[in-house]
Amino acid sequence: MKKNSKFFSFQHIRAAVAVALLVFNGAAQAQNLQLHYDFGRTLYSSEQAERPKVTLTLEQFKADKWGSWFYFVDVDFSRKFTESAYAEISREFNLGKNSPFAAHIEYNGGLNRFGSFQQAALVGGAYNGHTADFSKTWSVQLMYKRYFKSYENTRAYHSFQLTGVWGLTFADKKCTFSGFIDLWRGEKANGHGQLVVISEPQFWYNATENLSVGTEIEISNNFIYNTQNDKTFFVNPTLAVKWKF
């Protein structure tokens, strides 16, 4: 689900696929810590007046003989509060030796200072690929999604999600262009369905083997919970640093 677009979608999000992290880092295990300063509240002072400006993200990937594990945790901060902690954890099972296909299962959920995010579980398939030198990577996932009734004013319902992830390294590995795009069926406050789209392209300059600086641009439609007007399309950039362990 990422974060609940119906009630708490002003929060910052992160998404990735385990195989993408594997090829980006060239290792069976990878972990990084990111700190993002978000300009969304400045750009949309009315529609996103409560959007946190600072997000700390921890990501970790681990491969094994059956497939891979991946999780991330986003912690959002305001001046006075730790606003929320949101997590996604996924498992992929390889479907045959050297096969590009994998089975994918995933859980999304978390807590914020008002209560919780609406939880969701996903199950489906993934197609993962890369060039011979791993400088280009891609993954496509098609999944059934189940939302759960997590708190007042939410209800359980069926959905789907289509995810694409890409990565490109260039300039003698000094630059990385990566990101994802998600499409899924969400629900409006009146219970009617709507297509939610969000993409987060990232650009990183890899200053050292461990330290990167860059930006992420959150581009979305029907994702931001906006009660001020009819605007549904938003572009929210960040400035960020990343440390690879």
Side-chain angles (χ1 to χ4, degrees):
M1 184 183 77
K2 313 309 174 217
K3 293 187 179 177
N4 188 339
S5 61
K6 187 174 178 182
F7 292 97
F8 298 104
S9 60
F10 57 84
Q11 304 288 353
H12 185 80
I13 72 170
R14 181 81 51 239
V17 172
V19 68
L21 283 176
L22 173 61
V23 295
F24 292 164
N25 292 276
Q29 296 189 57
Q31 187 176 36
N32 71 79
L33 192 67
Q34 302 175 23
L35 185 65
H36 289 257
Y37 184 85
D38 192 298
F39 293 95
R41 189 164 71 181
T42 302
L43 294 174
Y44 307 100
S45 57
S46 297
E47 296 91 345
Q48 299 185 113
E50 301 299 322
R51 184 181 179 96
K53 289 187 175 182
V54 178
T55 297
L56 183 69
T57 298
L58 174 67
E59 294 180 337
Q60 186 170 26
F61 165 82
K62 183 176 182 180
D64 54 43
K65 63 181 180 180
W66 297 290
S68 59
W69 285 98
F70 171 74
Y71 78 86
F72 75 82
V73 180
D74 274 352
V75 182
D76 290 320
F77 301 95
S78 65
R79 184 172 299 177
K80 296 181 179 180
F81 301 100
T82 299
E83 295 287 342
S84 66
Y86 172 80
E88 295 186 6
I89 182 169
S90 65
R91 171 73 200 189
E92 286 199 353
F93 295 95
N94 298 328
L95 300 179
K97 186 177 181 180
N98 299 322
S99 171
F101 295 99
H104 184 102
I105 58 174
E106 184 176 329
Y107 167 80
N108 303 164
L111 300 173
N112 58 65
R113 66 186 180 93
F114 302 106
S116 67
F117 295 101
Q118 188 171 9
Q119 301 176 85
L122 301 90
V123 60
Y127 178 84
N128 306 312
H130 58 82
T131 57
D133 61 356
F134 293 95
S135 62
K136 299 180 180 67
T137 65
W138 58 87
S139 179
V140 179
Q141 302 173 3
L142 180 60
M143 296 168 287
Y144 163 76
K145 178 186 286 190
R146 174 67 173 178
Y147 287 100
F148 301 103
K149 181 176 174 59
S150 302
Y151 52 92
E152 188 178 358
N153 297 323
T154 63
R155 72 179 191 91
Y157 66 95
H158 305 287
S159 184
F160 73 91
Q161 182 167 304
L162 177 64
T163 293
V165 179
W166 71 88
L168 172 65
T169 57
F170 56 99
D172 197 25
K173 298 183 179 180
K174 283 294 186 181
C175 297
T176 301
F177 176 62
S178 59
F180 75 91
I181 183 169
D182 284 342
L183 300 90
W184 74 90
R185 180 190 178 275
E187 283 197 348
K188 301 178 183 179
N190 60 10
H192 292 175
Q194 64 177 355
L195 181 64
V196 183
V197 181
I198 183 167
S199 182
E200 288 190 358
Q202 296 182 341
F203 177 81
W204 297 99
Y205 173 73
N206 306 312
T208 70
E209 183 178 350
N210 301 103
L211 178 65
S212 301
V213 294
T215 183
E216 175 182 270
I217 303 176
E218 179 191 284
I219 306 167
S220 68
N221 192 54
N222 288 329
F223 181 74
I224 302 298
Y225 180 56
N226 174 24
T227 61
Q228 300 300 311
N229 50 44
D230 295 330
K231 185 176 178 60
T232 62
F233 179 81
F234 292 87
V235 178
N236 294 303
T238 76
L239 285 179
V241 294
K242 176 169 64 174
W243 182 265
K244 300 176 184 177
F245 296 95

